[in-house]
Amino acid sequence: MKLIARFTIHEAENDRETCGREVPKKVLSQMRAKWPQFFPKELVGFHLQAEPGTPVIDEVIGFLRATGREPNWNYRPQVPNAHPTLYQVRGERVWDPEELNQSEYFELHVTKEICDSKLLPPEGIPEIAFSSYRGSPVGIAVAMSNPICSDAFRKELEAQNFKGLTFRQATIKSRKPENLALWQIWSSITLPPVLTPTVGVDGEPFDPAKSLACYVNDIYFPWQHHYSAAAFKTIGPFDVAISAERWGYGYTHQREPAIIVSRRFREWFMTQKVPVEWWPVALE
């Protein structure tokens, strides 16, 4: 797995601007002379992209530090746009095909949107507007993470005998009686808490009773969930499970657990030619 760190620095409209991610024209000109490779022709400003630990990142951070600016390496809290000294660092995880093929478990992320929906309290069951459903066999609702599927696709999944696979029936919202059944892919198996530190909106340790959201405090995206290998052995082999945590924005019923699947599930799902991303899970 490769980690890539990124941040952007722009030219301030005038030298009195007090924003950590903006510098006076003279400073930006010095940066252009030192690091022309980070001034792409198609973009405005300085755009660093490099692996952490490479000398150029330390050089640039040191240069900006001398101007009174510091990097923020936390996901939460994010730096406000007008913060006078801080600029936000973001990053990316990149797995090569061999790493994907060797992983045992993955977080499932279907990327095709097929309907509009909201999650109903207290359990977070999806409510889908009938008129918004686009007829695809499987996909996600707008602004949600976990897959919803048709009755036919559910039967195909059930025929594979995936251990732990269950479904929750979505509520269909319509002014007229409609013969439509949609299902949220779910599991009878709940995993132990992740080992990765989680935080709330303000970067505080996540508290399910108080925090509005649950995040991995990690600038690199996609996130990678870490679990105890010993705990997984206690559970035994499975094909579909849900995380103990609910991730995303808002209160509990507005957040969703991660769907964690096996290599066998991934191999079958890839034959369906559904747009999907696979985020490897780390066991330690």
Side-chain angles (χ1 to χ4, degrees):
M1 178 185 66
K2 181 184 293 186
L3 297 177
I4 306 294
R6 297 188 177 95
F7 58 82
T8 297
I9 302 295
H10 288 293
E11 179 182 328
E13 291 186 8
N14 59 68
D15 289 352
R16 294 187 301 276
E17 289 289 332
T18 55
C19 177
R21 62 186 178 85
E22 295 179 355
V23 298
K25 181 176 181 179
K26 179 180 179 181
V27 174
L28 198 68
S29 295
Q30 293 173 337
M31 295 177 71
R32 186 186 298 274
K34 289 176 175 290
W35 304 288
Q37 70 272 32
F38 297 131
F39 287 83
K41 293 180 180 179
E42 67 276 12
L43 298 174
V44 175
F46 173 92
H47 298 265
L48 182 141
Q49 178 173 311
E51 293 184 57
T54 54
V56 69
I57 288 187
D58 292 338
E59 291 170 9
V60 173
I61 288 176
F63 177 87
L64 291 170
R65 182 168 288 133
T67 72
R69 292 163 176 82
E70 293 288 339
N72 179 41
W73 290 86
N74 294 320
Y75 184 79
R76 289 287 180 176
Q78 297 183 56
V79 176
N81 287 338
H83 196 288
T85 62
L86 293 177
Y87 54 94
Q88 184 67 54
V89 183
R90 284 281 179 253
E92 180 183 5
R93 282 186 175 84
V94 181
W95 293 275
D96 64 41
E98 187 61 27
E99 288 175 313
L100 290 173
N101 291 334
Q102 291 179 355
S103 295
E104 294 184 50
Y105 293 98
F106 305 83
E107 186 173 346
L108 170 66
H109 275 270
V110 177
T111 58
K112 183 177 183 179
E113 294 181 344
I114 62 168
C115 62
D116 295 329
S117 178
K118 65 179 180 180
L119 299 178
L120 300 175
E123 299 296 329
I125 299 291
E127 180 186 75
I128 297 169
F130 176 84
S131 60
S132 74
Y133 177 54
R134 295 160 196 161
S136 297
V138 63
I140 56 172
V142 175
M144 294 186 185
S145 299
N146 291 335
I148 292 168
C149 68
S150 66
D151 217 33
F153 196 83
R154 172 190 173 172
K155 291 174 182 176
E156 289 186 42
L157 277 167
E158 288 178 323
Q160 309 309 311
N161 295 314
F162 289 127
K163 184 175 180 181
L165 175 66
T166 62
F167 299 87
R168 302 200 303 178
Q169 188 166 10
T171 298
I172 306 299
K173 185 178 181 181
S174 176
R175 293 181 180 179
K176 301 177 181 179
E178 303 287 357
N179 184 22
L180 175 65
L182 295 174
W183 303 87
Q184 186 180 34
I185 295 176
W186 207 251
S187 178
S188 59
I189 299 171
T190 300
L191 297 175
V194 295
L195 300 178
T196 324
T198 56
V199 295
V201 172
D202 296 319
E204 79 280 5
F206 179 71
D207 180 346
K210 298 178 181 179
S211 300
L212 294 182
C214 183
Y215 306 99
V216 173
N217 201 22
D218 182 337
I219 66 163
Y220 299 102
F221 193 81
W223 293 333
Q224 184 173 42
H225 295 311
H226 290 242
Y227 286 98
S228 161
F232 266 47
K233 287 183 180 179
T234 300
I235 295 169
F238 66 85
D239 292 301
V240 185
I242 59 174
S243 68
E245 301 81 8
R246 290 174 176 258
W247 307 91
Y249 302 92
Y251 293 97
T252 299
H253 76 272
Q254 297 172 311
R255 301 193 298 262
E256 298 175 90
I259 304 293
I260 306 299
V261 301
S262 67
R263 186 188 304 170
R264 184 172 86 93
F265 184 98
R266 176 177 180 262
E267 289 172 352
W268 178 84
F269 204 90
M270 288 177 67
T271 67
Q272 305 303 297
K273 302 188 184 304
V274 176
V276 63
E277 295 177 357
W278 304 99
W279 301 355
V281 168
L283 300 180
E284 57 187 63

